[in-house]
Amino acid sequence: MASSCSTLHNHLDPISLKFKSQCSDTTFCSAAENGTCIPRKRASSLCLPGTFCPDEGSGCLPLVFIGGACQLNRDEQCALPPDMTDPDQVLCLGSVCTYSDVDTGRPCIADTTTYTDVFDDQHFTSTIIRDNCQKPQYYCEQVSMTCEPAKQLGFSCSIDNECQLKTCDANVCSVPPETPLNIQPWQMAVTVSCILGVLISTCLLLALVHKQHRQARYSDLRGYSAEQLRLRLSLIQMHSAAASSKRYS
């Protein structure tokens, strides 16, 4: 039997920021008043263009226009105006779909979200700041709350948002860790030369060791053959001497 619920109780967990409701993870609440928990809709494919799937899993819904309500960090829920082509020009900021087109010197809006994770009985936090300044040219300065030019590599910083590449490491704008490593041609040439040198040296060393082993084996065989030949000559001489002594006795 379906349990009663209300969408007015839908909220985000204050620690994990996970969507919560009066229903289980496999159901959603059907209405704000006198609602019931019904199974989530499992679409056979992804939502069609112009629609999105909300956190509660109630089925594909039309995109939200600028100024409409959206869910935490769900920028894809916001509809892109017809005169815009870049999806990064709209975002969900403070649970409201808004433009991301503010340039330098103009007031900006910042949305600060702190995520908390527990590992080995220790709490770890990560703070994400999102704003409506043009990306990646500008960022929202947290004191003046105006858009300022983003900083290039090597400049001092305090948060990731201040850098063009969104990575502030040890208070310096740095290259993101996921950036592919660009190998210079001379580095490639040196690496290939070293590899070829090691391969050639290994082959020469193996050939030298094999030659030494073969010469040692050859010497052992020659010594054995010479020893057998001396033994055979000694036996022949002994038989000849015995035959001669019998003849003259």
Side-chain angles (χ1 to χ4, degrees):
M1 181 176 179
S3 58
S4 60
C5 62
S6 172
T7 56
L8 298 178
H9 292 280
N10 292 351
H11 66 282
L12 296 179
D13 186 274
I15 297 179
S16 65
L17 298 180
K18 180 181 178 181
F19 176 82
K20 295 288 185 179
S21 68
Q22 292 181 313
C23 301
S24 66
D25 291 339
T26 59
T27 59
F28 72 95
C29 191
S30 60
E33 296 183 1
N34 299 324
T36 56
C37 294
I38 58 178
R40 290 192 175 193
K41 297 181 180 180
R42 299 182 180 274
S44 58
S45 60
L46 299 177
C47 291
L48 298 175
T51 62
F52 70 93
C53 183
D55 291 342
E56 57 268 27
S58 57
C60 296
L61 300 176
L63 293 178
V64 181
F65 292 102
I66 298 298
C70 54
Q71 294 171 322
L72 179 65
N73 292 344
R74 294 293 304 273
D75 296 343
E76 73 279 5
Q77 295 182 357
C78 301
L80 189 66
D83 58 339
M84 294 184 177
T85 58
D86 187 2
D88 293 334
Q89 290 181 298
V90 295
L91 76 162
C92 181
L93 199 64
S95 299
V96 177
C97 287
T98 183
Y99 292 110
S100 179
D101 60 351
V102 182
D103 54 15
T104 182
R106 296 175 58 189
C108 55
I109 303 172
D111 185 9
T112 302
T113 306
T114 301
Y115 297 90
T116 303
D117 190 16
V118 180
F119 177 76
D120 196 17
D121 295 332
Q122 294 183 355
H123 290 262
F124 299 90
T125 59
S126 177
T127 302
I128 305 298
I129 300 177
R130 308 172 76 238
D131 56 67
N132 61 339
C133 297
Q134 292 183 18
K135 303 293 184 299
Q137 302 95 328
Y138 308 102
Y139 74 97
C140 188
E141 208 282 321
Q142 297 300 295
V143 177
S144 63
M145 295 304 294
T146 57
C147 290
E148 301 292 340
K151 301 176 182 179
Q152 298 180 355
L153 292 176
F155 283 76
S156 61
C157 57
S158 57
I159 57 176
D160 293 338
N161 269 22
E162 296 180 4
C163 305
Q164 287 185 349
L165 299 181
K166 304 302 178 184
T167 302
C168 181
D169 186 17
N171 294 327
V172 176
C173 289
S174 308
V175 177
E178 68 274 10
T179 302
L181 179 62
N182 294 323
I183 300 178
Q184 300 298 327
W186 68 269
Q187 294 175 324
M188 181 67 72
V190 170
T191 303
V192 172
S193 300
C194 291
I195 294 175
L196 292 177
V198 170
L199 290 176
I200 294 174
S201 300
T202 302
C203 293
L204 292 177
L205 181 61
L206 291 176
L208 180 60
V209 171
H210 177 70
K211 182 178 180 181
Q212 291 177 346
H213 286 176
R214 185 176 58 183
Q215 289 179 347
R217 180 64 176 169
Y218 179 71
S219 298
D220 292 341
L221 291 176
R222 287 195 61 181
Y224 177 77
S225 299
E227 184 178 358
Q228 293 297 317
L229 182 60
R230 288 194 298 270
L231 180 59
R232 183 177 182 183
L233 292 176
S234 298
L235 291 174
I236 293 175
Q237 290 176 357
M238 290 176 61
H239 282 290
S240 298
S244 299
S245 61
K246 287 182 181 180
R247 187 182 306 155
Y248 295 102
S249 59

